[in-house]
Amino acid sequence: MGSSCEEYEFLSEIGLSSSHNLGNYVGGKWLGNGPVVSTLNPANNQPIAQVVEASLEDYETGLKACEEAAKVWMQVPAPKRGDIVRQIGDALRSKLDYLGRLLSLEMGKILAEGIGEVQEVIDMCDFAVGLSRQLNGSVIPSERPNHMMLEMWNPLGIVGVITAFNFPCAVLGWNACIALVCGNCVVWKGAPTTPLITIAMAKLVGLTVQQTVSARSGKTLLELSGNNAIIVMDDADIQLAARSVLFAAVGTAGQRCTTCRRLLLHESVYEKVLEQLLTSYKQVKIGDPLEKGTLLGPLHTPESKKNFEKGIEGGRVLTGGKAVDGEGNFVEPTIIEISSDAAVVKEELFAPVLYALKFKTFEEAVAINNSVPQGLSSSIFTRSPENIFKWIGPMGSDCGIVNVNIPTNGAEIGGAFGGEKATGGGREAGSDSWKQYMRRSTCTINYGNELPLAQGINFG
Amino acid sequence: MGSSCEEYEFLSEIGLSSSHNLGNYVGGKWLGNGPVVSTLNPANNQPIAQVVEASLEDYETGLKACEEAAKVWMQVPAPKRGDIVRQIGDALRSKLDYLGRLLSLEMGKILAEGIGEVQEVIDMCDFAVGLSRQLNGSVIPSERPNHMMLEMWNPLGIVGVITAFNFPCAVLGWNACIALVCGNCVVWKGAPTTPLITIAMAKLVGLTVQQTVSARSGKTLLELSGNNAIIVMDDADIQLAARSVLFAAVGTAGQRCTTCRRLLLHESVYEKVLEQLLTSYKQVKIGDPLEKGTLLGPLHTPESKKNFEKGIEGGRVLTGGKAVDGEGNFVEPTIIEISSDAAVVKEELFAPVLYALKFKTFEEAVAINNSVPQGLSSSIFTRSPENIFKWIGPMGSDCGIVNVNIPTNGAEIGGAFGGEKATGGGREAGSDSWKQYMRRSTCTINYGNELPLAQGINFG
Amino acid sequence: MGSSCEEYEFLSEIGLSSSHNLGNYVGGKWLGNGPVVSTLNPANNQPIAQVVEASLEDYETGLKACEEAAKVWMQVPAPKRGDIVRQIGDALRSKLDYLGRLLSLEMGKILAEGIGEVQEVIDMCDFAVGLSRQLNGSVIPSERPNHMMLEMWNPLGIVGVITAFNFPCAVLGWNACIALVCGNCVVWKGAPTTPLITIAMAKLVGLTVQQTVSARSGKTLLELSGNNAIIVMDDADIQLAARSVLFAAVGTAGQRCTTCRRLLLHESVYEKVLEQLLTSYKQVKIGDPLEKGTLLGPLHTPESKKNFEKGIEGGRVLTGGKAVDGEGNFVEPTIIEISSDAAVVKEELFAPVLYALKFKTFEEAVAINNSVPQGLSSSIFTRSPENIFKWIGPMGSDCGIVNVNIPTNGAEIGGAFGGEKATGGGREAGSDSWKQYMRRSTCTINYGNELPLAQGINFG
Amino acid sequence: MGSSCEEYEFLSEIGLSSSHNLGNYVGGKWLGNGPVVSTLNPANNQPIAQVVEASLEDYETGLKACEEAAKVWMQVPAPKRGDIVRQIGDALRSKLDYLGRLLSLEMGKILAEGIGEVQEVIDMCDFAVGLSRQLNGSVIPSERPNHMMLEMWNPLGIVGVITAFNFPCAVLGWNACIALVCGNCVVWKGAPTTPLITIAMAKLVGLTVQQTVSARSGKTLLELSGNNAIIVMDDADIQLAARSVLFAAVGTAGQRCTTCRRLLLHESVYEKVLEQLLTSYKQVKIGDPLEKGTLLGPLHTPESKKNFEKGIEGGRVLTGGKAVDGEGNFVEPTIIEISSDAAVVKEELFAPVLYALKFKTFEEAVAINNSVPQGLSSSIFTRSPENIFKWIGPMGSDCGIVNVNIPTNGAEIGGAFGGEKATGGGREAGSDSWKQYMRRSTCTINYGNELPLAQGINFG
């Protein structure tokens, strides 16, 4: 369950050294005057390489450079900005396999998911190129003669992106690709435990100022925790549901914000679905994420392993429930039978632990789905149009992502990604998410010689 | 400068008593178990009538009633909700003059503005009726075969609206009309000093739960302070500019959030513009806001009068500068010559005080405009297309409202109203402001029998 | 089955005389120098009143007046135009019952449908009022520095509307309400057999120039014939389907362009659905459309009665099949068993005749649905999400209106109404249909001093 | 003024032979059973290469193959279709210079314009990739409970594109890129005189069925003639105007549909603008379009040369006016002083002939601009906001392209390209032009168990 040293040789293909890497990219140069840290392989907790972090001075230098760049960048016509993002996408495309491999190595997710994550950034680049000609404002009819009303969208200036360990590439991609075509410069602070992928991306992503110390920002777009449920109705396709639950609960070792943690089963299919799941869970191959056939890699850190153990308290273990002995952060995929009132069910956990719950009616299932503080993702499995349309309507799921017959995880970039309630309310990626990276002005231009007032007011 | 008692007789036409009024409308009934307060006429600080406020129990009862109503209301089809808002608009239209008169009496603004404000609510009703058939979600192409991606907009449930004394009707109208067609119930807390207009509106506005104690809410849409500038360029139409400044600085006695407080004059027209303004300022008729010809009514409260006095410290008085002796809260319209660095220039003031500042270049004027913490409204007077388009572009005004050749105040409802920075970032009234009163769900429906994953991932 | 003379007394309430009515409204005056014609009651073919049609000179005078009016009207700000349409809607609302009654009397549809049709015009007015603040153009990012790209929508000038006898009010409403807020003047030519309703509407609709001779136009929006099918799948709610077919095939005596003429039944439910239909068909009350309980009024003209007889040739009559003896144009509601290849099935017929056809698979049913030249409306009854989403997708119905579990007729105004293929391709009423009443300009404004060319071309 | 033979060697780089080329691409194979034709170099009227055209049978085979392909292609998810268009764009990008050179060689436009035209197709590919995730339909609020209204956009199936000689690549790109991501297969018929560029593009554009015989289609999008004016107001930047007129009138040898043919000069600047133009016209280098420094290549055919001579009849020649002696189709750049009533001014001409006209007022200039049957492109040069906004408003230019301070030609792809009146009314390239390549369905889904009718009708 470890990884051999030759495995690291590919790092040089994407500009990384196995020893010393400067962690700070500013104004076209790599700097680093802060502490030296090691990045660890979660499959064996051994160092992969060293990284020199930014000092506070490096950070200040970076922000100043960014402010200057912002004034220039926001005046570059949007379609020209789009062409630069296109070139970034092409650069990533040419290194797709290496970057995916690095992601697996440093974060711990299986290779198919590592490559899929980099692909998502490439997809975002392609999407953003088209978007660069469609950041449209509006011409709105004015109630006053010889007046024109315009809704204009202008850049914010600098956009800071702080990404977590679980999606170090994709979340940058969602934000940076769009922020860039919108005319902003981007300051990126990657997760402290995935510095190599941060550096590798920045080497390809020329327009971000990359930082390894904290940044702060004014306007915020929050993408916080999830505590996501899958509902299986009595008329569901059981096989489709079971396969989806497996991917949603075990994929990425349960460390996605869209991971399924609560499985709500109609009483009439409760036994049948669990039976299928127990069979699949026993066949899940645990091991080196870079190895073919592995479905469950290590958790990202030793701390995650401890949280896993807390997360199984208070319920009845149906399968799994134990950490795997040895050097890496491996745990067993786990299903727990538990009451929906249990405290542990209300909190987010980043581990492959699934809570199984029973319900009697559609309304009850929706109520349980909506009963947690988080509101990110949710799925129903059903063959009834009535259930489907109620589920996506005003009395249905209160989440930002509302799926039917697919898992809670695995969103496409064309839609808006994000959730309500404690999840934060922000939206990333597709739809009109780009508006969050711009400021809106309602402009009224009087091109006549009179001064008529709105609402027909006569003053003076 | 006071108002005679027969003046209050029209109150009975809109369901108000000159003595005792219950201040709390819940579930179709008027209640009031809290303290009894008097509402005062700002033109003479004498009581107009008494109002019984809500107790904490009244408030709890109200919210419970609202929660029940919300479940029903959100299931009423949107166009049917629109038809009810249409009827509200018709009810207001039939009482336009009385309501406008009450607004003037209790708030202190001149009658033309009082009527104009009620008209704005009626306009919002008409607008919202059409909107009720256009609260459109999207069908987004999915990258997976036999999948459909929908972006759905569903109601939030309950929307709380807290309004200030200066626009007790219009701000309710912007929010409630749209919140209602979006499928929400509305809890309205009017300003403590304008309870009569609050009650009168609620008597016509059936679907709000009206409250006179504080409410709290989750998702917030803030519309805060303004500190708005008008820039006059060397090529401006001076007459148009001077008339606009008069309306923007003296209208509503300077108590609009869009009131012009900073007048930035190009050095080449500095003297000429001020000369015109001093002439007009001297002709402004101060007095009873209900009287024909009055341009400047009283400030809303005696406290406002004290703030006025603070606001003129540190500069050179060009005209005005004194409070008017007598029983009401009257002050003189005032222009102050001052440096743009003076502390008093950075803060919001609700009074007819205007700071005159001199500049040399377009870029300098924009920099001064953008140098305050607030970002609500701003205007430029110019005849140059280059100035116009730069002003509304990325290097121009950083406000939410960006005008050309019209004053900072007097927005139309068709655009989005609101501002950036300390102003809060919310948007009300037109454009896609309705989205703030709804929650967004990205829905993906798999109607096939396969489970293809996004980004081409192959799992298990 | 006739109607008594007192029945006509209400005509005076909407400005009509039972004898002589001028048929031509131009520049605020009623004219008529053409032939005098009688309008007939289809329930007894007796005259209701006389109408003086326009002469060719009247028509020329009308168009000239319209051209002058157009120049003024297009410069009235759109929201002001909206307010006038709002007043038209209020005028119709106050005469709803009388107008509905006149529609029934002159056209022959039952009273509930007559009133429903006028209600639709009122709904259109309300919708158009909101739309008058949302006729939005776009601000599109330019690839050139200091350039701004705008997509502007401007009025066409004059819009001619030619309406048929079957929806004399609603079709005017769809077109005129939107054409008016878009800034056009409207020339309306009503059907020759429904002049009274045309005159009554014009008396309330001030801004149309109403004409009773032919008009011609440049840009055209065609709404032509339909030949609409309802598909009933094996998993359908049979009762819901049968009630829908009754309304779709017998409503308005089969004279809607959205009338269902082809009933495609899955072989497994063929007998059951027909059985239910035969039972309901026998209970349909035929008679005076103004009488309570009547479901089937007369056809509009004696010619329609002859066409009915042609339409039943070549198949097996399951119910009905005969004209009703007597003075009016009454026929029996009819179901015919026939092959989908029969020539009569490919043509449009305006009568309550329904062709019943059998199919085996979803794909076969879609193929039959799509096999006629017309492409207006279509419905499927099913409980399967897979059928629903395939039906509305690229391999499903090729019609402009694609329904699920509702009849082919009875569209809402919020959507776009119209169809493909021989139906003409136009779209009326909601969605972005308003764009058809305007001309689009792509405007590029260079506000700088340089001349950069698109696609990076360097010339001279 | 000829071109040497080595010049043709680069043809092999893009898959062309200098002798025999099959002109018909169907189902992955190159065919040709029709007549053999020569393609000529317009600079010397000597053959470049031979092409075998399609026979009628080839055409039928092609259409059949296309029908089969269409069924498959429309079911490929749109973002996957977008990825294929992205690859087409990359293939073109890698051959940009060769394709641009071939365009110049075969069509006759100068090299900078040849390369610019291919670049436009590449831009369209990039734009279409992003669009493939944004071909959005709408979810529209229904007035009926438990109903959902969707506006869906589905592919048409097969789209035929017929291109003219003057923009053999760009017009294909506008149409094919969007038609493809919309889910259509494309049949392309290039111009008979530019078969090589047609074949070269098809060798890179895998999804079109390329044809050299006529095709026909149902729904049409017409992009016809232009007769475009530039207006120079008294307050214009004269230098900017003169340079723009040069590019607009002489560029592409006056053979663009957006070529400027009418120059409307305010009387106060008439002499000054013409003086500048006469100076520049005399410096225009005429010659081999592939040679550096050439601004004016040959007309496309000897027939064009004859039309040029007709176009200068009836006016006074200010400069130019003669064809150039020798083997190619060269003519002099020409300015003619003429009355706006002259018949020759109302017709389209494809040659570098410019008619100079004088006017006194803005309104007169607009009237002349709008007085021709065509309505494609138009420009004004002015520094007045009033002129600018009137020009783009209801009383301004009636063209589809309305420019300010830039030439009539050189549109960006982000906007909609096309014009009104005799120009045909179609719109290509950006904005919502994609809707013309799809069919719209208004879908209403009843997912409840009741049958409420629209407009509140109660039937049966």
Side-chain angles (χ1 to χ4, degrees), chain C residues 221-449:
Chain C
L221 183 171
L222 296 175
E223 191 53 63
L224 303 172
S225 56
N227 183 350
N228 316 293
I230 288 178
I231 297 170
V232 184
M233 294 299 296
D234 51 351
D235 65 349
D237 178 331
I238 299 297
Q239 277 217 313
L240 197 73
R243 287 187 49 219
S244 297
V245 172
L246 178 70
F247 177 53
V250 176
T252 327
Q255 297 170 106
R256 293 189 179 215
C257 50
T258 53
T259 287
C260 174
R261 297 193 56 241
R262 298 180 294 143
L263 178 62
L264 315 188
L265 299 171
H266 188 269
E267 54 179 7
S268 70
V269 296
Y270 187 81
E271 299 301 336
K272 208 164 153 194
V273 174
L274 282 179
E275 199 175 295
Q276 286 221 9
L277 280 174
L278 295 184
T279 308
S280 342
Y281 265 60
K282 280 178 185 131
Q283 294 162 2
V284 167
K285 190 179 155 201
I286 307 172
D288 183 343
L290 287 163
E291 214 165 85
K292 213 179 158 177
T294 301
L295 277 194
L296 180 55
L299 292 176
H300 187 56
T301 61
E303 285 69 32
S304 312
K305 215 164 149 179
K306 285 179 205 152
N307 289 333
F308 163 83
E309 278 156 7
K310 277 186 221 153
I312 63 175
E313 286 164 14
R316 190 167 73 90
V317 175
L318 299 185
T319 185
K322 293 193 297 294
V324 176
D325 291 339
E327 50 180 4
N329 312 315
F330 294 92
V331 300
E332 292 176 357
T334 299
I335 303 179
I336 306 280
E337 196 173 55
I338 200 164
S339 147
S340 70
D341 300 330
V344 79
V345 175
K346 306 283 183 187
E347 286 158 32
E348 191 179 36
L349 175 71
F350 261 33
V353 176
L354 181 68
Y355 302 115
L357 307 160
K358 203 183 286 187
F359 70 86
K360 283 184 175 20
T361 66
F362 173 82
E363 286 72 21
E364 187 192 350
V366 172
I368 299 174
N369 178 74
N370 294 355
S371 69
V372 295
Q374 304 86 351
L376 182 55
S377 186
S378 55
S379 299
I380 200 170
F381 284 78
T382 180
R383 284 188 181 107
S384 143
E386 188 165 0
N387 287 343
I388 292 175
F389 290 106
K390 286 196 169 161
W391 173 241
I392 68 175
M395 302 295 282
S397 167
D398 66 357
C399 291
I401 298 172
V402 182
N403 291 335
V404 178
N405 296 333
I406 57 168
T408 47
N409 55 345
E412 298 186 23
I413 62 160
F417 183 93
E420 299 300 327
K421 301 196 293 184
T423 304
R427 288 298 185 281
E428 298 165 305
S431 184
D432 66 352
S433 304
W434 61 268
K435 292 185 177 174
Q436 296 182 83
Y437 304 89
M438 304 195 88
R439 60 185 176 80
R440 178 202 311 238
S441 301
T442 304
C443 307
T444 309
I445 300 170
N446 175 8
Y447 55 90
N449 306 305

Side-chain angles (χ1 to χ4, degrees), chain A residues 142-143 400 412 416 432 440 442, chain B residues 142-143 400 412 416 432 440 442:
Chain A
S142 169
E143 72 190 48
E412 298 185 23
D432 66 352
R440 178 202 311 239
T442 305
Chain B
S142 169
E143 72 191 49
E412 299 187 22
D432 66 351
R440 178 202 310 239
T442 305

Side-chain angles (χ1 to χ4, degrees), chain A residues 297-366:
Chain A
L299 293 177
H300 188 55
T301 59
E303 285 69 33
S304 313
K305 217 165 149 177
K306 284 179 205 152
N307 289 333
F308 163 82
E309 280 157 5
K310 276 186 222 152
I312 61 174
E313 286 163 13
R316 190 165 74 89
V317 175
L318 298 186
T319 184
K322 290 194 299 293
V324 176
D325 291 338
E327 49 182 3
N329 313 316
F330 294 93
V331 300
E332 292 175 356
T334 299
I335 302 179
I336 306 280
E337 197 174 54
I338 201 165
S339 148
S340 69
D341 301 329
V344 80
V345 175
K346 307 283 183 187
E347 285 158 33
E348 190 178 36
L349 176 70
F350 260 34
V353 176
L354 181 69
Y355 302 116
L357 307 159
K358 202 183 286 186
F359 69 86
K360 284 183 175 21
T361 66
F362 174 81
E363 285 71 21
E364 186 191 351
V366 172

Side-chain angles (χ1 to χ4, degrees), chain D residues 35-59:
Chain D
V36 178
V37 297
S38 284
T39 173
L40 304 180
N41 180 342
N44 58 18
N45 287 318
Q46 299 302 315
I48 304 170
Q50 266 72 43
V51 170
V52 193
E53 294 197 338
S55 65
L56 201 61
E57 286 74 30
D58 292 342
Y59 171 70

Side-chain angles (χ1 to χ4, degrees), chain A residues 89-393:
Chain A
D90 278 350
L92 293 173
R93 197 175 269 117
S94 74
K95 301 286 184 187
L96 172 59
D97 280 334
Y98 293 126
L99 289 165
R101 180 169 286 271
L102 173 59
L103 247 173
S104 288
L105 179 64
E106 194 177 33
M107 185 280 167
K109 61 177 64 176
I110 65 172
L111 187 54
E113 290 188 319
I115 290 174
E117 182 175 344
V118 180
Q119 183 59 49
E120 196 164 347
V121 184
I122 297 169
D123 288 352
M124 277 306 302
C125 289
D126 293 341
F127 178 72
V129 177
L131 200 61
S132 73
R133 291 187 189 270
Q134 296 171 292
L135 302 164
N136 285 10
S138 301
V139 184
I140 303 176
S142 169
E143 72 190 48
R144 290 175 271 190
N146 295 328
H147 281 55
M148 183 152 172
M149 195 146 60
L150 296 175
E151 182 166 276
M152 298 288 292
W153 291 94
N154 283 309
L156 294 174
I158 299 178
V159 166
V161 181
I162 303 174
T163 54
F165 76 89
N166 60 342
F167 279 93
C169 283
V171 173
L172 173 73
W174 291 348
N175 287 281
C177 294
I178 295 193
L180 285 170
V181 296
C182 286
N184 303 291
C185 284
V186 172
V187 178
W188 179 27
K189 186 193 168 305
T193 53
T194 56
L196 288 186
I197 186 70
T198 307
I199 294 170
M201 288 292 286
K203 293 210 177 222
L204 294 161
V205 183
L207 282 167
T208 60
V209 171
Q210 181 264 322
Q211 297 282 354
T212 45
V213 296
S214 287
R216 97 211 125 82
S217 66
K219 191 174 174 180
T220 54
L221 185 172
L222 296 175
E223 191 53 63
L224 303 173
S225 55
N227 182 350
N228 316 292
I230 288 179
I231 297 171
V232 185
M233 295 299 297
D234 50 353
D235 64 349
D237 178 330
I238 299 295
Q239 276 217 314
L240 196 73
R243 287 187 51 219
S244 298
V245 171
L246 179 70
F247 177 51
V250 176
T252 327
Q255 297 171 106
R256 293 189 179 216
C257 51
T258 53
T259 288
C260 175
R261 298 193 56 242
R262 297 181 294 144
L263 177 61
L264 316 188
L265 299 171
H266 188 268
E267 54 180 6
S268 70
V269 295
Y270 187 82
E271 298 300 337
K272 209 163 154 195
V273 173
L274 282 179
E275 200 175 294
Q276 286 221 12
L277 279 174
L278 295 183
T279 308
S280 343
Y281 265 60
K282 278 175 189 135
Q283 293 163 1
V284 167
K285 191 180 154 199
I286 307 172
D288 183 343
L290 287 163
E291 214 164 86
K292 214 181 156 174
T294 300
L295 276 194
L296 179 56
L299 293 177
H300 188 55
T301 59
E303 285 69 33
S304 313
K305 217 165 149 177
K306 284 179 205 152
N307 289 333
F308 163 82
E309 280 157 5
K310 276 186 222 152
I312 61 174
E313 286 163 13
R316 190 165 74 89
V317 175
L318 298 186
T319 184
K322 290 194 299 293
V324 176
D325 291 338
E327 49 182 3
N329 313 316
F330 294 93
V331 300
E332 292 175 356
T334 299
I335 302 179
I336 306 280
E337 197 174 54
I338 201 165
S339 148
S340 69
D341 301 329
V344 80
V345 175
K346 307 283 183 187
E347 285 158 33
E348 190 178 36
L349 176 70
F350 260 34
V353 176
L354 181 69
Y355 302 116
L357 307 159
K358 202 183 286 186
F359 69 86
K360 284 183 175 21
T361 66
F362 174 81
E363 285 71 21
E364 186 191 351
V366 172
I368 298 174
N369 178 74
N370 294 356
S371 68
V372 295
Q374 304 86 351
L376 182 55
S377 186
S378 56
S379 299
I380 199 169
F381 284 77
T382 180
R383 283 188 181 108
S384 145
E386 186 165 1
N387 286 343
I388 292 174
F389 290 106
K390 285 196 170 163
W391 174 240
I392 68 175

